[in-house]
Amino acid sequence: MIAILKKELWSYFGNWSAWVIIAVFSLIATLFLFFFDNDSNIFEIGMASLQSYFVLVPWLLMFIIPALSMKTFAEEQQTGTLNWLFSQPLKISDLVFGKFLSVWVVGILCLIPSLIYLYTVYVLGVPAGNIDLGMTFGSYIGLIILIAAFSGVGILASSLSQNQIMAYLLGVFMCFIMYFGIEQLASYKLLGGADFILQNVGFYQHFLGFTRGLIDFKDVAYFVLIIGITLVLSNHFINKKK
């Protein structure tokens, strides 16, 4: 698993793809938070808070994480190296988990430049330091866990796909449904009391607690369950290709 993790990280950073993705992610976030005229602009909100950043980032991650994960298995199958990996002395579970960890690590690294935003808001607050650090750090933990969930979904999409384009589109679709689609469907209140259950199937409600600074065991357990399910399913589909 460690060998797979190192191989994948080298493939991301060795050909500059990870650096480009991190740079693009940070640039888009910066433009929305400080330059573009929109509801996420920190100067227009007039509050020393990164709440708009934590609302914006999940939408960016829906496109960024599938871009990272699409190559994990779809590219291996497309280039024929998946059969070579099958011939190596490693378990399929180690292969899946190693690739999952590599996507998760790169996804977390996308958040590192946002510490500049945190420092900026901290300094510009009146008085300086007038920011809810509990809510901020809770939101960061929520994002790290959400990245893991998106990574699991992206890995599953890649294991189901024959090529990278299909893996990317399927990954974006699945992440969108899990984060926003289920929540939106539940908001129509078509199922009566069952809408609450449907709401809790998606990512949004569980991530929302973190953005309020609340780290609930139920929310953490939910994401761990989702990650486990996606990795088990990925392991199953890769085994079928063996």
Side-chain angles (χ1 to χ4, degrees):
M1 184 188 71
I2 299 299
I4 292 295
L5 174 59
K6 290 179 179 178
K7 169 185 171 294
E8 291 297 311
L9 288 177
W10 174 251
S11 72
Y12 286 126
F13 290 99
N15 63 6
W16 295 91
S17 60
W19 299 108
V20 171
I21 287 175
I22 293 172
V24 170
F25 179 90
S26 302
L27 176 62
I28 294 174
T30 301
L31 290 174
F32 273 94
L33 291 176
F34 295 100
F35 295 98
F36 289 168
D37 185 12
N38 63 93
D39 294 336
S40 298
N41 191 300
I42 290 175
F43 294 125
E44 291 188 9
I45 293 172
M47 292 177 61
S49 172
L50 281 179
Q51 191 64 25
S52 57
Y53 174 75
F54 299 119
V55 171
L56 172 67
V57 166
W59 290 94
L60 298 180
L61 291 174
M62 281 183 208
F63 298 94
I64 294 295
I65 299 300
L68 290 168
S69 62
M70 67 181 184
K71 66 184 287 294
T72 51
F73 289 109
E75 183 187 46
E76 301 278 14
Q77 185 168 348
Q78 202 170 1
T79 57
T81 54
L82 188 59
N83 291 326
W84 175 81
L85 285 173
F86 288 154
S87 68
Q88 301 305 304
L90 53 84
K91 298 178 182 177
I92 299 299
S93 57
D94 290 340
L95 179 62
V96 170
F97 199 63
K99 287 178 176 288
F100 161 76
L101 286 178
S102 67
V103 175
W104 190 16
V105 168
V106 178
I108 292 173
L109 291 177
C110 289
L111 302 180
I112 300 299
S114 70
L115 296 178
I116 298 173
Y117 312 149
L118 177 59
Y119 176 76
T120 302
V121 172
Y122 185 88
V123 171
L124 293 179
V126 181
N130 183 29
I131 182 173
D132 189 338
L133 292 177
M135 183 190 72
T136 301
F137 290 123
S139 299
Y140 270 113
I141 292 172
L143 279 181
I144 290 171
I145 296 174
L146 184 64
I147 289 171
F150 280 156
S151 299
V153 171
I155 292 290
L156 176 58
S158 187
S159 70
L160 287 168
S161 306
Q162 301 293 326
N163 58 73
Q164 293 187 67
I165 295 176
M166 182 179 175
Y168 178 72
L169 294 176
L170 182 60
V172 170
F173 175 75
M174 291 169 67
C175 288
F176 174 81
I177 291 297
M178 289 301 297
Y179 182 78
F180 183 74
I182 292 176
E183 172 68 20
Q184 193 65 20
L185 183 61
S187 69
Y188 293 140
K189 302 190 183 301
L190 301 174
L191 304 176
D195 284 317
F196 175 76
I197 298 174
L198 180 62
Q199 214 171 28
N200 281 278
V201 171
F203 293 169
Y204 181 80
Q205 285 298 318
H206 296 280
F207 174 68
L208 199 60
F210 290 100
T211 63
R212 295 167 179 163
L214 303 173
I215 303 176
D216 194 321
F217 173 77
K218 293 179 181 178
D219 295 328
V220 175
Y222 164 81
F223 281 114
V224 170
L225 177 63
I226 290 294
I227 294 165
I229 290 173
T230 55
L231 295 184
V232 167
L233 288 174
S234 299
N235 187 82
H236 170 72
F237 290 118
I238 294 303
N239 260 314
K240 289 183 69 175
K241 294 179 180 181
K242 191 171 182 179

